[in-house]
Amino acid sequence: AADLSKPIDKRIYKGTQPTCHDFNHLTATAESVSLLVGFSAGQVQLIDPIKKETSKLFNEERLIDKSRVTCVKWVPGSESLFLVSHASGNMYLYNVEHTCGTTAPHYQLLKQGENYSVHTCKSKSTRNPLLKWTVGEGALNEFAFSPDGKFLACVSQDGFLRVFNFDAVELHGTMKSYFGGLLCVCWSPDGKYIVAGGEDDLVTVWSFLDCRVIARGHGHKSWVSVVAFDHYTTSVEESDPMEFSGSDEDFQDQMIHFGRDRANSTQSRLSKRNSTDSRPVSVTYRFGSVGQDTQLCLWDLTEDILFPHLPLSRTRTHTNVMNATSPPAGATIITNTSSNTTNGNNSGANNPGINSLSTTLPRSNSLPHSAGTTTTANNTNKAGSGGGIGSGIMDSAIATGVSKFATLSLHDRKERHHEKDHKRNHSMGHISSKSSDKLNLLTKTKTDPAKTLGTLLCPRMEDVPLLEPLICKKIAHERLTVLIFLEDCLVTACQEGFICTWARPGKVGLLSSQNQASSPSGTVV
């Protein structure tokens, strides 16, 4: 058995500090493991903590980038390629087999789009970096590959989530934070949803298929530093077998000279074409977040949030059901009039920026559904008043699948000027590279927070469901910086340097009694 009282490797650095790291799980064995470490001065080191004799240093002279390394990850399915992001807003693709050269690299433009550009390294012999990505404005705080390795999600200090097709070097979709920068990002196990957190104290759930925000979660009292899905409690039962799209040939010809070794990955190629018509029988996504408020939050993303226009597969209990006979105190009565001319081919349910409702709903993990609501003219709906930052999410008419209607309210009239921007940005994630000139016209609009608020890029708080955490517990005295879900426990770490292991219910005997945490109020962690 391994001697846990002694580290297998220990290194002390002077003048620069490690900021991030990543193991290559594809090549890891009991005798060898490839570990990448990024540093505050911009270098990246490749070490093998088991063998100890192998070590390489990239960007040693800081000729490629002088800013802090914010994230480093091996490219999924590759033994030699890795991606590095910096506080400069640049990302670089490296090959461990190539050198970095003794002079500053020269670049040639490969592809350019809205607020991003990709360059190749121009040299007589192949050298690092193979590619240079410039993404957004300000620091590029984190990136994450999709489960199938084909897409890349990046979050930047400018507050944007940008999702790229990594092989084709094309922008798939974007999202804007409520305010401030985005600091962390992760994918759901099936690659259908992305969760981002940042300086708005929120966790935002973004649909990869629809390229839109589908929910926000409010529970933290400060910046969210890490978000992560719990693969062990996430449950997705597919009603139909998943489609596979296993072709990696979209951009293969252009990537051959980059030395990419994409062996046939054992990871399934999840289709991004599945529509909500083939709705899973039962869906529960569990994810967690930790922040600078020293709190751990656990969240459930269930089918009543993911599929609000379809009947639920099972009965749900709601803490505050709508009163169909008389409005409660403080309620706002809204008159919904059906219309066949609303927003062209875009359904009202999918356009929260246009159907801005001043009605309010309780802040909970479930959206109320009213079985008796129909799309008749002058249908009056009543909603109870909710509190907090996310009051006013949706009303029961939306939840029952009303596809086209107009909402008449004072709140709506004030935001009529947002309709044009909203329609223009509706399908931005699907615009091809040929329309990059049109996208460039939207640059100023998108980077101005006042103009993005209320659009599809950044819907208002009342336009999307608001999640509340299942658990919100203070677990540290300093800012939390790590959250990892394992089969029998959770691992957290904080700025103070403490690494804590929290036992899952029923797994207590395997862990030290000093690191156990029981769930409050009987909630399953």
Side-chain angles (χ1 to χ4, degrees):
D3 185 359
L4 299 181
S5 63
K6 299 179 181 178
I8 61 172
D9 192 18
K10 180 180 178 181
R11 296 165 187 255
I12 300 177
Y13 300 93
K14 296 181 179 179
T16 184
Q17 295 83 39
T19 56
C20 52
H21 67 275
D22 189 38
F23 287 98
N24 193 332
H25 298 279
L26 182 67
T27 60
T29 64
E31 295 78 26
S32 175
V33 61
S34 297
L35 172 63
L36 290 169
V37 182
F39 292 90
S40 57
Q43 305 95 333
V44 179
Q45 188 177 26
L46 172 66
I47 61 177
D48 190 326
I50 301 179
K51 287 186 175 181
K52 294 185 176 63
E53 69 267 13
T54 59
S55 178
K56 290 184 179 180
L57 191 60
F58 302 92
N59 192 29
E60 182 176 6
E61 303 297 329
R62 305 172 68 207
L63 298 173
I64 298 173
D65 202 303
K66 292 181 170 61
S67 63
R68 171 176 54 93
V69 176
T70 56
C71 188
V72 57
K73 291 186 184 298
W74 291 96
V75 175
S78 175
E79 298 183 2
S80 57
L81 294 177
F82 63 92
L83 195 63
V84 182
S85 65
H86 288 259
S88 62
N90 296 324
M91 284 191 305
Y92 302 91
L93 181 66
Y94 288 82
N95 189 322
V96 294
E97 306 297 334
H98 302 328
T99 60
C100 291
T102 57
T103 59
H106 296 279
Y107 298 104
Q108 182 176 359
L109 182 64
L110 175 64
K111 186 167 291 189
Q112 188 172 15
E114 201 272 322
N115 263 5
Y116 82 95
S117 60
V118 182
H119 293 77
T120 59
C121 186
K122 187 178 180 181
S123 62
K124 294 181 179 179
S125 59
T126 305
R127 56 166 286 184
N128 285 318
L130 306 179
L131 289 179
K132 175 187 176 181
W133 296 61
T134 302
V135 180
E137 301 173 5
L140 209 166
N141 291 321
E142 192 177 40
F143 63 85
F145 285 97
S146 61
D148 63 2
K150 297 174 69 174
F151 291 86
L152 182 72
C154 307
V155 289
S156 303
Q157 194 59 37
D158 60 7
F160 278 91
L161 161 73
R162 296 176 176 89
V163 182
F164 296 94
N165 183 318
F166 185 67
D167 287 342
V169 197
E170 290 180 349
L171 185 64
H172 171 78
T174 58
M175 182 272 288
K176 175 70 170 61
S177 68
Y178 205 67
F179 60 83
L182 289 176
L183 305 177
C184 50
V185 63
C186 67
W187 291 77
S188 64
D190 57 6
K192 291 184 177 180
Y193 303 99
I194 298 174
V195 173
E199 296 176 357
D200 53 9
D201 302 355
L202 302 170
V203 292
T204 302
V205 184
W206 190 79
S207 170
F208 176 84
L209 302 177
D210 300 329
C211 291
R212 66 181 181 92
V213 175
I214 60 170
R216 287 194 179 98
H218 183 247
H220 287 283
K221 300 175 183 178
S222 186
W223 295 357
V224 180
S225 52
V226 180
V227 287
F229 272 87
D230 184 353
H231 291 227
Y232 301 96
T233 55
T234 292
S235 173
V236 180
E237 299 177 9
E238 295 293 339
S239 55
D240 297 317
M242 289 292 288
E243 299 177 9
F244 290 87
S245 53
S247 174
D248 274 347
E249 300 175 358
D250 297 340
F251 201 59
Q252 197 68 27
D253 293 339
Q254 299 183 45
M255 294 295 290
I256 289 177
H257 66 282
F258 295 149
R260 181 168 191 175
D261 182 15
R262 290 290 289 270
N264 291 330
S265 175
T266 56
Q267 297 172 324
S268 62
R269 304 299 186 182
L270 294 172
S271 172
K272 65 186 182 70
R273 306 298 181 196
N274 283 0
S275 65
T276 55
D277 294 334
S278 59
R279 184 167 78 96
V281 177
S282 176
V283 179
T284 302
Y285 294 89
R286 169 71 57 82
F287 65 92
S289 59
V290 294
Q292 297 192 11
D293 57 358
T294 72
Q295 292 190 124
L296 164 69
C297 292
L298 296 179
W299 315 80
D300 262 5
L301 190 61
T302 50
E303 65 263 34
D304 50 353
I305 298 294
L306 302 176
F307 311 104
H309 311 298
L310 296 175
L312 293 178
S313 60
R314 57 180 180 269
T315 305
R316 290 195 173 274
T317 303
H318 307 294
T319 57
N320 187 1
V321 180
M322 299 219 182
N323 187 349
T325 57
S326 61
T332 304
I333 301 178
I334 304 299
T335 301
N336 293 337
T337 306
S338 61
S339 171
N340 293 327
T341 60
T342 303
N343 199 26
N345 61 351
N346 293 332
S347 66
N350 291 329
N351 288 276
I354 292 182
N355 300 319
S356 301
L357 306 181
S358 59
T359 56
T360 58
L361 287 184
R363 296 169 60 195
S364 67
N365 274 313
S366 301
L367 276 179
H369 293 253
S370 175
T373 307
T374 56
T375 57
T376 56
N378 299 322
N379 178 28
T380 302
N381 301 287
K382 305 172 181 66
S385 60
I389 188 173
S391 61
I393 310 166
M394 288 283 184
D395 71 357
S396 59
I398 296 180
T400 51
V402 180
S403 61
K404 294 183 180 181
F405 63 91
T407 304
L408 303 178
S409 67
L410 293 176
H411 181 66
D412 188 45
R413 292 191 188 103
K414 291 179 181 178
E415 298 186 26
R416 294 281 176 159
H417 63 280
H418 289 299
E419 291 189 19
K420 194 169 184 179
D421 286 343
H422 177 84
K423 292 178 182 177
R424 180 175 58 184
N425 294 339
H426 177 71
S427 59
M428 182 169 297
H430 306 287
I431 297 178
S432 64
S433 58
K434 295 180 181 179
S435 303
S436 59
D437 54 338
K438 296 181 181 179
L439 284 173
N440 289 331
L441 297 177
L442 302 179
T443 303
K444 294 183 180 179
T445 304
K446 293 179 64 176
T447 53
D448 185 352
K451 293 184 179 180
T452 58
L453 184 62
T455 68
L456 196 68
L457 284 172
C458 182
R460 296 180 182 275
M461 292 300 296
E462 62 266 25
D463 293 335
V464 293
L466 189 72
L467 304 176
E468 284 203 351
L470 301 173
I471 291 179
C472 192
K473 185 174 179 63
K474 177 182 174 68
I475 60 171
H477 296 290
E478 286 290 336
R479 294 175 293 176
L480 289 163
T481 56
V482 172
L483 173 62
I484 301 173
F485 288 97
L486 300 178
E487 186 174 4
D488 56 356
C489 63
L490 282 68
V491 180
T492 62
C494 68
Q495 198 75 22
E496 199 173 3
F498 288 106
I499 300 175
C500 297
T501 305
W502 307 86
R504 291 182 187 268
K507 305 290 185 179
V508 175
L510 300 176
L511 302 172
S512 169
S513 59
Q514 295 180 352
N515 288 332
Q516 294 171 8
S518 59
S519 304
S521 304
T523 306
V524 177
V525 183

